């Protein structure tokens, strides 16, 4: 454990380090401008301000000294440390965070956020009418605690009870507009959670047949009594959902865990020519890595469980090195950060892991990190969150201090 902690902390320090030239640049800036607010802990923030840090996580995964200009809840400009706007300095609206690391916050690529019951009906195997973001409300249970611990974004997904699970939504915790994208991905389930002896399908071949028949346009009779108007709306939603999956307008998440399920998922992707496919929770990856790469399929890793073997982590590291995009999921910041630290301990590059931890599947979903035009959703860390010793000092959402 001591060797592991030492190795992890060394890599975390490497991630958190700033170029040697930064100190010189900051010293020059202070000599030139004279008035820069030193960070003693942020309090209230004005509508327009700038944040200076020697360590900002940039979209390419690098860490550098930058000044972030924030106006009306949006990052309007990002400039190098020695290019500070005179007006901001003279008005005292530049906040110097020193060595504190600034990132977009943690990003879970697959989470229920405690809302599973609202988005996981089990009356019918076809839940294509479900949109996970519709279950989100202001200040939902646990939101503030997740935010305080550094989680700012998540792909909120339907549960695993149904082979056709519904649509996932992109959620920004603590934001004025919580659901940033209502339909950010679709979800299909091939794992055992969507099989039952009490209803169809009861087997993996049955799940495959049901999904492929639905994609071919055969609508499943729920055998539930529904008023005609509601039934019509559900059928319209179902048709629209299946069209989106078939045409690949948004990513399709496919939950598959063991060897047989992963093979079935890959066969489904090939037969149906599904685009932007993502495997969720695969635990036996090694033999499938070449095929994943050839099909350009991404992977969302489940958090490490007590019963999991070390080869699960090694397979994820091997997949990443082979060019398969691997993203992290978790229901809490602690799950995400523990998984990140374990991957670093298994040999995954610490900078790569930090990018995965804080930017998630942003490229896949078209979501920006610290970039001009992006919402000013930031977390100020004591050090890199890849290290379990790091703590979030402040959380900013929509440009306003939330914690």
């Amino acid at each position: 454990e001591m060797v592991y902690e030492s190795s992890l902390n060394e890599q975390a320090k490497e991630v958190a380090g700033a170029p040697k030239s930064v100190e010189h640049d900051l010293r020059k800036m202070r000599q030139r401008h004279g008035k820069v607010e030193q960070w003693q802990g942020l309090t209230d923030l004005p509508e327009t301000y700038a944040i200076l840090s020697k360590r900002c996580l940039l979209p390419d995964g690098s860490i550098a000294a930058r000044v972030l200009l924030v106006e009306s809840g949006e990052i309007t400009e990002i400039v190098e440390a020695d290019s500070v706007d005179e007006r901001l300095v003279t008005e005292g609206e530049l906040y110097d965070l020193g060595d504190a690391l600034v990132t977009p916050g943690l990003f879970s690529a697959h989470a229920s956020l405690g809302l599973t019951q609202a988005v996981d009906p089990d009356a019918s195997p076809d839940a294509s009418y479900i949109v996970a973001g519709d279950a989100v409300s202001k200040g939902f249970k646990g939101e503030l605690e997740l935010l305080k611990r550094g989680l700012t974004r998540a792909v909120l997904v339907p549960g695993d009870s149904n082979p056709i699970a519904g649509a996932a939504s992109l959620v920004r915790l603590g934001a004025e507009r919580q659901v940033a994208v209502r339909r950010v991905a679709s979800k299909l389930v091939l794992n055992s959670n969507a099989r039952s002896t009490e209803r169809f399908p009861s087997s993996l071949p049955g799940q495959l047949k049901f999904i492929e028949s639905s994609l071919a346009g055969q609508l499943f009779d729920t055998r539930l009594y529904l008023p005609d108007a509601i039934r019509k709306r559900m059928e319209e939603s179902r048709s629209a959902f299946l069209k989106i999956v078939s045409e690949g307008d948004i990513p399709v998440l496919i939950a598959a865990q063991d060897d047989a399920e992963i093979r079935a998922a890959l066969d489904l992707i090939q037969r149906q020519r599904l685009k932007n496919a993502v495997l969720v929770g695969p635990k036996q990856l090694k033999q499938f890595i070449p095929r994943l790469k050839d099909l350009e399929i991404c992977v969302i890793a489940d958090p490490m469980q007590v019963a999991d073997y070390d080869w699960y982590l090694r397979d994820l590291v091997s997949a990443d090195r082979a060019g398969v995009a691997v993203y992290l999921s978790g229901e809490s910041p602690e799950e995400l950060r523990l998984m990140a630290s374990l991957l670093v301990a298994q040999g995954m590059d610490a900078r790569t892991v930090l990018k995965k931890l804080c930017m998630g599947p942003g490229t896949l979903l078209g979501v920006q990190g610290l970039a001009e035009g992006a919402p000013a959703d930031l977390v100020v860390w004591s050090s890199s969150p890849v290290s379990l010793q790091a703590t979030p000092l402040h959380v900013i959402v929509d440009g306003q201090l939330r914690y």
Side-chain angles (χ1 to χ4, degrees), residues 38-55:
Q38 296 297 308
W39 177 57
Q40 299 298 329
L42 299 176
T43 53
D44 293 331
L45 294 171
E47 185 170 331
T48 300
Y49 60 93
I51 284 179
L52 162 66
S53 174
K54 288 186 284 185
R55 297 184 293 164

Side-chain angles (χ1 to χ4, degrees), residues 132-149:
D134 293 348
V136 175
S137 59
K138 289 288 183 183
F140 63 84
K141 185 178 180 180
E143 179 184 18
L144 181 58
E145 284 304 312
L146 293 173
L147 195 63
K148 283 181 178 179
R149 304 201 300 273

